[in-house]
Amino acid sequence: MTMTTSEAFGTPTSLPNYTLGDEAHPTHLNALASREEAATDAKSLNVGDAAFVLRSDRKWAYGIVTEREEGEGEECILRFLVDKKNNRKSFPEDVWGKYIR
C-alpha cells in the first residue's frame, strides 16, 4: 500500500478567494458534468490539491487532499481536510463521481 500525506508536500495549493470549509459558489461547480467525468477528474488529485466535496449537509465545501491511499489491486482512497476544525472526509474511488468536484 502506498500512502502519501500532506507532510510530504508542504503547504497545500489553494483556489483564489476560498478557505477551508467555504461553500462553493454555484458558478464554480460544473453542474453538467456526469459522475463519470467527475470521477475521472478526481483521479488526477494529489496531496495538497483543492477540490469541492459534498458534505453531509448536502453543501459543496472547499477542501484539501491530505492523503491519497493506494493499495495493490485495491481502490484508491482520498482523504480531505474540509474545515478549520480539522474535520476530514474520506472517499473510496467508487464514490468519487458523486462526492468530489
Side-chain angles (χ1 to χ4, degrees), residues 43-77:
K43 285 185 181 187
S44 68
L45 292 173
N46 291 302
V47 171
D49 288 339
F52 293 107
V53 296
L54 188 59
R55 301 289 308 270
S56 54
D57 62 4
R58 309 305 297 162
K59 295 179 182 175
W60 291 95
Y62 175 84
I64 300 289
V65 178
T66 58
E67 293 180 35
R68 182 181 178 101
E69 184 178 328
E70 297 177 280
E72 230 176 274
E74 299 173 26
E75 66 182 10
C76 182
I77 296 172

Side-chain angles (χ1 to χ4, degrees), residues 19-59:
T19 59
L20 283 176
D22 284 351
E23 187 174 346
H25 190 278
T27 60
H28 293 160
L29 295 172
N30 183 356
L32 300 177
S34 68
R35 286 187 179 182
E36 292 79 18
E37 291 170 320
T40 299
D41 289 344
K43 285 185 181 187
S44 68
L45 292 173
N46 291 302
V47 171
D49 288 339
F52 293 107
V53 296
L54 188 59
R55 301 289 308 270
S56 54
D57 62 4
R58 309 305 297 162
K59 295 179 182 175

Side-chain angles (χ1 to χ4, degrees), residues 2-21:
T2 304
M3 187 181 322
T4 308
T5 62
S6 58
E7 291 81 28
F9 286 85
T11 305
T13 58
S14 62
L15 294 173
N17 304 316
Y18 281 100
T19 59
L20 283 176

